[in-house]
Amino acid sequence: MAIPEGATTSEKVWYVAFRIICAGIFLFLIGPLLVIIPLSFNAEPYFTFTPEMLSFSPEGFSLRWYDDFFSSESWQTAIKNSLIVAIASTILATVLGTTAALGLSSRYMPYKDAIMAILISPMIVPLIISAAAMFFFFSRFQMTHTYIGVVLAHTALGIPFVVITVTATLSGFDHSLTRAAASLGANPVHTFFKVVLPLVTPGVISGALFAFITSFDEVVVVLFIAGPEQTTLPIQMWSGIREEISPTILAAATLLVVLSIALLTTLEFLRRRSARLRGIEE
């Protein structure tokens, strides 16, 4: 956006200062990534820029740490466990969260505020407290050190994101459409799949992506509940930092950054699609 015509001197100064502030904040946030990504291509086993890298010499760069990441059995097991847990918990969180959001959108639902507060409490309560509570609860049912325990724990953490995104999508939903479908003889199930779901799909997918990211990146709960056989990628990175400093961790971190960027790009696409469906111009 260009400086508007007729702007005063103070408005012009604020226009430039605002963009400088935004650029500084943006640089502060992505600064660590600007360090991690190039270091993951370091040819030497150091967490520092070598003279060859600083001079952009080809000898200073290598894919050896990515090769180690994809060829190591421990890292591949961690990726497999992360995908199993993330996909399973995302499916459960999406189904349960969407169902809860639909119920909360009904005008006849009692105690909406209390139910919403309970559903989003995993986002508010400190994660260490939630992890300890889940450990003592799941241990009573022999579900610690099991995939089921980790999946259920991550499902509880992912549900709030689905509830919030789907509820936000339903805030602009025209309920007269469901009444019109019912007046034409459609049953509730047919109405949901043919009328409601197509309109709330962007919110559902956005919530599912947030739940997936939450599960894929989560460390604290897994430390409490998972066993050696359920080691996930973040736990493998955590163990690597504590036991053996290797640039392979930087390669894993870079891949996680790429995955996050891809998911956030998808979220932005879905947000714009949802805005178009609502007739909102951007």
Side-chain angles (χ1 to χ4, degrees), residues 82 86 127 154 157 209-222 232-235 237 252-253 255-257 259-260 263:
S82 290
L127 195 55
H154 282 189
L157 298 178
L209 291 177
F210 276 119
F212 182 87
I213 294 174
T214 300
S215 174
F216 204 83
D217 293 341
E218 206 282 320
V219 177
V220 179
V221 171
V222 181
T232 60
L233 184 58
I235 295 300
M237 296 174 66
L255 294 175
L256 286 177
V257 169
L259 175 63
S260 299
L263 292 177

Side-chain angles (χ1 to χ4, degrees), residues 137-158:
F137 178 78
F138 288 151
S139 62
R140 290 180 175 269
F141 299 96
Q142 306 296 320
M143 287 194 298
T144 55
H145 294 190
T146 64
Y147 284 102
I148 295 177
V150 179
V151 168
L152 292 179
H154 282 189
T155 298
L157 298 178

Side-chain angles (χ1 to χ4, degrees), residues 24 64 79 102 109 118 189 195 242-244 248 254:
R64 59 182 294 192
I79 294 176
L102 291 173
M109 173 65 71
I118 294 173
V189 175
V195 179
R242 293 182 60 190
E243 300 171 2
E244 180 186 0
T248 306
T254 300

Side-chain angles (χ1 to χ4, degrees), residues 7-17:
T8 62
T9 303
S10 61
E11 290 176 340
K12 294 179 180 179
V13 171
W14 171 244
Y15 178 90
V16 176

Side-chain angles (χ1 to χ4, degrees), residues 104-275:
L104 291 171
S105 67
S106 174
R107 67 178 68 179
Y108 305 106
M109 173 65 71
Y111 310 112
K112 287 185 180 180
D113 294 338
I115 295 174
M116 176 62 81
I118 294 173
L119 290 174
I120 67 174
S121 60
M123 297 179 62
I124 302 172
V125 177
L127 195 55
I128 186 67
I129 297 177
S130 298
M134 290 178 184
F135 171 77
F136 287 113
F137 178 78
F138 288 151
S139 62
R140 290 180 175 269
F141 299 96
Q142 306 296 320
M143 287 194 298
T144 55
H145 294 190
T146 64
Y147 284 102
I148 295 177
V150 179
V151 168
L152 292 179
H154 282 189
T155 298
L157 298 178
I159 284 177
F161 295 97
V162 181
V163 171
I164 291 174
T165 55
V166 177
T167 300
T169 304
L170 288 171
S171 63
F173 180 74
D174 186 2
H175 290 277
S176 63
L177 296 174
T178 59
R179 293 192 293 269
S183 67
L184 295 174
N187 57 48
V189 175
H190 193 267
T191 299
F192 172 77
F193 284 103
K194 294 296 183 180
V195 179
V196 179
L197 187 59
L199 294 177
V200 301
T201 294
V204 173
I205 298 179
S206 298
L209 291 177
F210 276 119
F212 182 87
I213 294 174
T214 300
S215 174
F216 204 83
D217 293 341
E218 206 282 320
V219 177
V220 179
V221 171
V222 181
L223 284 174
F224 274 80
I225 297 178
E229 296 181 356
Q230 294 82 43
T231 298
T232 60
L233 184 58
I235 295 300
Q236 180 67 24
M237 296 174 66
W238 171 263
S239 300
I241 293 174
R242 293 182 60 190
E243 300 171 2
E244 180 186 0
I245 301 298
S246 171
T248 306
I249 300 173
L250 301 180
T254 300
L255 294 175
L256 286 177
V257 169
V258 173
L259 175 63
S260 299
I261 292 175
L263 292 177
L264 290 175
T265 302
T266 303
L267 286 174
E268 177 62 17
F269 171 78
L270 292 173
R271 186 190 67 81
R272 292 177 178 272
R273 181 178 181 274
S274 179

